[in-house]
Amino acid sequence: MKIRTRSRLILLTTLIIFLIFLSFITQSIIVQSFKTIEEQETTAHVQRFISQLNSEIEDVASTCYDWANRDDTATVFTNQDKSQDPSWLFQPVSMKNLGIDYIIIYDAEGNRVFSETITKDSKTINSVPPELDRIIRDSIVIEGIRGGISG
């Protein structure tokens, strides 16, 4: 064998061994690093998803609680025999702590079905100032539109 052929063969063998060695390094170091990064990213995404899901669950629970209270309020005020006292819905001390001075409830036609004034000493009076009643009634019952605005 000529020297030229031998040197090419040695060079080619060295190149093949180097590429195999480089392949093992790539597989063991770089791929493992990417695997670790992917696992961290996946964990972060799953934790974010779980957090969002918990937030949605809390929102649904809050809405259910709110609607349950609205259902109780509607039941009290739509009850035809008036056997339930609406004062249990609005405890004066709680309303005062929340900074609520007046409670006025209207039906869909704009008729006042319940009103209370909470005094500074947490007592209740079953009336409200007529000016306040007029302002609120005029703002929720649009003339000519049956049903007014809910909210």
Side-chain angles (χ1 to χ4, degrees):
M1 225 194 265
K2 294 185 183 176
I3 276 195
R4 180 179 268 179
T5 309
R6 241 189 243 161
S7 60
R8 284 184 182 170
L9 187 62
I10 291 173
L11 187 61
L12 184 64
T13 307
T14 308
L15 182 64
I16 290 173
I17 291 173
F18 176 73
L19 288 176
I20 291 172
F21 180 71
L22 188 63
S23 168
F24 283 130
I25 289 175
T26 303
Q27 289 297 319
S28 64
I29 295 173
I30 296 175
V31 171
Q32 287 298 330
S33 298
F34 278 120
K35 182 180 175 188
T36 303
I37 291 171
E38 286 289 327
E39 286 174 354
Q40 290 171 350
E41 289 287 320
T42 302
T43 302
H45 288 304
V46 167
Q47 288 174 344
R48 193 174 329 136
F49 172 76
I50 290 171
S51 174
Q52 181 66 30
L53 188 61
N54 286 336
S55 176
E56 291 289 327
I57 289 170
E58 288 174 9
D59 289 345
V60 168
S62 174
T63 301
C64 288
Y65 179 75
D66 184 44
W67 279 103
N69 285 337
R70 290 183 189 191
D71 289 344
D72 288 346
T73 304
T75 301
V76 168
F77 292 110
T78 57
N79 191 358
Q80 298 300 327
D81 62 3
K82 305 291 183 196
S83 62
Q84 292 181 323
D85 181 23
S87 62
W88 69 271
L89 289 170
F90 310 107
Q91 300 296 321
V93 174
S94 297
M95 296 297 119
K96 200 60 182 169
N97 289 341
L98 292 170
I100 298 173
D101 295 323
Y102 302 102
I103 300 169
I104 307 172
I105 298 178
Y106 295 88
D107 63 8
E109 284 78 34
N111 302 317
R112 183 176 54 180
V113 293
F114 180 77
S115 62
E116 248 181 16
T117 300
I118 296 140
T119 62
K120 293 185 189 295
D121 57 349
S122 297
K123 302 287 186 214
T124 59
I125 304 170
N126 288 336
S127 66
V128 294
E131 303 84 26
L132 180 62
D133 181 43
R134 183 181 45 78
I135 291 169
I136 293 172
R137 188 180 59 248
D138 291 345
S139 67
I140 63 169
V141 180
I142 301 171
E143 193 172 323
I145 297 179
R146 188 177 188 287
I149 300 171
S150 66

